[in-house]
Amino acid sequence: MTIDLQGFTNLFYYLHGTFVEHAPRLNRLDAAIGDGDHGDTMLRGFRAAARTVHLGGFAHIGELFEAAANTLAEETGGAIGPLMAAFFGEGGLVFSGMHAAGLTEVVSFLGQGLEAVQQVGGAKPGDKTLLDALHPAVEVLSRGEIDDLQAALQAAVSAAQTGAQHTGDLQAKMGRARFVGERGLGHPDPGAVSFTLILEALLAIAQGKAVQPPDLDPVAEKLTPKPAGKFLNDPGEMISEDNCGLALAYPGLVRLTDTGLLVRAQPKPMGRVGLAIGHGGGHTPSMGGFVGPGLLDADVYGPLFTCASGLKIARAIEQAEQGGGVVLLVSNHAGDVLNARLAVRRAEQLGIPVVMAFSSDDVATAPRLAFSERRGLGGLLFMLKVGGGAAEGGLALTAVADLMQRANERTATLGVASQAPRHPVSGEKLFDLPAGQIEVGTGVHGEVGVYRGELMPAKNLVEMMLAKLIPDLDAFLQDRVWVFLNGSGGTSQMELHILYRNVHQALTGQGLQVASGVVGSFFTTLEMGGFSLSLCALDEESAAWWDAPASSPAFRWPLA
Ligand code: ADP
Ligand code: MG
């Protein structure tokens, strides 16, 4: 019993159908412990992969897997994208030159795929990730007790199903779900469920299930955005239309390339260090609104809330390179980090020196001692502004990156949500927050936060937040503090000013001088109600770069 080239082509068609069927359920699982996009992300990846294999012309099975893996890397995004690309990429190696694969080859593909996922993702079994489905499946297979392909895959599927089910009993140690802690108990891991579905598809193909090429006509993807009442054209194009509009509105500052990157209209002088970033869409005006002198050189966005693929980020790095090397800003979220690793690997292969600078400022997600494990929030502004100034000023790559890491270490942020935004197409609320309640410690994608309680007067809320933020900066705070009050998209500038007044008064009351204050909605989550408050205790050298001029569509410095 073997699977031939047509069989594996059918596998990708079958997987497309699988994720059409299961995307809504996977989104719901991810909404409980992550950010609700997992089903859409899998479907986007496998729709693109099905299109790729449909083109045909593969000399052997290895070529088919390699092409599918490249498409998955390019199109999927999220944390899961680079992991799936790594997994299916192993098929490219194992099946190289083959026209049919039997039990031995399929077992080595799955075994090597497991290794690749562990290497790229750095997770272990028990961390509540897809490994908790894949690892037991591979374990059953590698015992070598079953010598029939169908029976062996059946056993692997059962092991994966059990493993995926048990992830409900686990507390996540990896990915976005890590931040919900015990509240994730009772909810299975969406990635583990997806990998079980992938093994089920492989079994179906081994059993010879009849499969038709799916309808991959892009028109079929279009949904009417009526439920959310948004002004859109093609929902699938909403993020690129957003960025295109930005480039058209600020032609003197930003240019949109053919490959969908936002770059400076006038590149910085040769030899200077470049700054690049890759991220998910839906946080307008970031990050394209920060492209310009004294800030970013290149920006690449992914689909809604889903990080751009590593390959696209590598292209942004290429654009940012002016001969001085590039700092890649990475907001500490699983998808951003994994895609950034892939991007750095690719850029280094092209001979570009790259240093990653991680933004990890959300005090709600890890203690001070483990600040580098914190999630990245609005505090990114301080790193970006300081690093952008220093890069423009001619500092060398490692010096720029060091200043940025120092700014990150000296920043503390706390977010509050008062109202869930709606998905712009389905109209569904991204998380559940009863009216009159607020959630403190919420993330930029509306992941579940760490505290929920009654809405309180602005003054009291600010006091509660400062009581967490100021002690966190104890080691750095002297007499001056830099403040950034960021609106989440659905909170009025009026409210932000009211809050800022309370922040300013409270800090002054504690003997802290506000060196600079920035108030506005820069890092948004659609129309989410809420804000984040960031404090930064810059050192003297960094403060000078903070003061340097900057100019971009969303942010100009000095403000006056
Ligand atoms: P994102 O978290 O970027 O929104 P998805 O929602 O598409 O990405 O995927 C989430 C899934 O990715 C999780 O359920 C988990 O199984 C998997 N995952 C996340 N990080 C890792 C990792 N480091 N190693 C293995 N799997 C991971
Ligand atoms: Mg997700």
Side-chain angles (χ1 to χ4, degrees), residues 405-479:
Q405 291 299 198
R406 219 186 302 160
N408 175 57
E409 186 177 357
R410 291 165 162 262
T411 301
T413 299
L414 199 51
V416 181
S418 58
Q419 199 171 10
R422 288 180 183 278
H423 190 282
V425 181
S426 71
E428 273 176 45
K429 286 196 174 174
L430 289 192
F431 55 91
D432 205 29
L433 187 60
Q437 299 260 299
I438 55 169
E439 187 156 278
V440 180
T442 208
V444 285
H445 293 180
E447 301 93 331
V448 185
V450 293
Y451 167 80
R452 200 170 266 199
E454 292 291 308
L455 177 65
M456 54 184 106
K459 183 170 185 288
N460 301 11
L461 179 57
V462 163
E463 273 167 13
M464 185 188 113
M465 294 170 81
L466 288 176
K468 291 203 188 299
L469 294 172
I470 294 174
D472 189 75
L473 294 176
D474 211 27
F476 311 110
L477 270 178
Q478 288 178 340
D479 49 351

Side-chain angles (χ1 to χ4, degrees), residues 512-523:
L512 286 164
Q513 186 209 333
V514 177
S516 292
V518 177
V519 188
S521 301
F522 295 102
F523 303 102

Side-chain angles (χ1 to χ4, degrees), residues 255-535:
R255 182 171 67 82
L256 185 67
T257 70
D258 303 342
T259 49
L261 308 172
L262 289 161
V263 298
R264 280 199 203 177
Q266 276 93 35
K268 67 168 38 137
M270 288 305 290
R272 300 278 154 92
V273 171
L275 254 62
I277 193 166
H279 55 92
H283 304 300
T284 310
S286 71
M287 291 304 299
F290 287 87
V291 174
L295 296 162
L296 288 174
D297 296 275
D299 166 60
V300 59
Y301 50 87
L304 186 72
F305 299 159
T306 302
C307 187
S309 76
L311 302 187
K312 286 187 178 160
I313 300 175
R315 268 183 232 131
I317 295 173
E318 266 184 274
Q319 287 282 341
E321 163 72 341
Q322 301 295 333
V326 175
V327 179
L328 178 65
L329 255 109
V330 187
S331 185
N332 195 24
H333 294 256
D336 298 48
V337 173
L338 298 184
N339 284 296
R341 279 190 207 149
L342 208 70
V344 168
R345 201 181 134 79
R346 186 59 66 109
E348 283 174 350
Q349 285 164 346
L350 298 169
I352 304 173
V354 192
V355 181
M356 289 193 272
F358 291 94
S359 138
S360 59
D361 52 321
D362 182 1
V363 301
T365 49
R368 169 45 69 179
L369 280 176
F371 77 93
S372 59
E373 285 170 27
R374 289 177 172 173
R375 176 169 59 189
L377 282 183
L380 177 81
L381 178 71
F382 297 109
M383 304 173 68
L384 172 58
K385 177 71 190 70
V386 166
E392 212 73 44
L395 262 60
L397 181 59
T398 48
V400 174
D402 284 351
L403 279 166
M404 293 171 79
Q405 291 299 198
R406 219 186 302 160
N408 175 57
E409 186 177 357
R410 291 165 162 262
T411 301
T413 299
L414 199 51
V416 181
S418 58
Q419 199 171 10
R422 288 180 183 278
H423 190 282
V425 181
S426 71
E428 273 176 45
K429 286 196 174 174
L430 289 192
F431 55 91
D432 205 29
L433 187 60
Q437 299 260 299
I438 55 169
E439 187 156 278
V440 180
T442 208
V444 285
H445 293 180
E447 301 93 331
V448 185
V450 293
Y451 167 80
R452 200 170 266 199
E454 292 291 308
L455 177 65
M456 54 184 106
K459 183 170 185 288
N460 301 11
L461 179 57
V462 163
E463 273 167 13
M464 185 188 113
M465 294 170 81
L466 288 176
K468 291 203 188 299
L469 294 172
I470 294 174
D472 189 75
L473 294 176
D474 211 27
F476 311 110
L477 270 178
Q478 288 178 340
D479 49 351
R480 293 198 298 169
V481 65
W482 283 254
V483 181
F484 174 35
L485 188 75
N486 177 59
S488 307
T491 287
S492 64
Q493 189 73 14
M494 178 188 87
E495 292 159 276
L496 296 181
H497 287 159
I498 291 170
L499 289 158
Y500 185 72
R501 171 180 167 271
N502 289 131
V503 173
H504 199 284
Q505 286 180 343
L507 290 171
T508 316
Q510 298 195 35
L512 286 164
Q513 186 209 333
V514 177
S516 292
V518 177
V519 188
S521 301
F522 295 102
F523 303 102
T524 64
T525 304
L526 302 168
E527 73 288 358
M528 182 162 96
F531 66 95
S532 66
L533 176 59
S534 303
L535 299 186

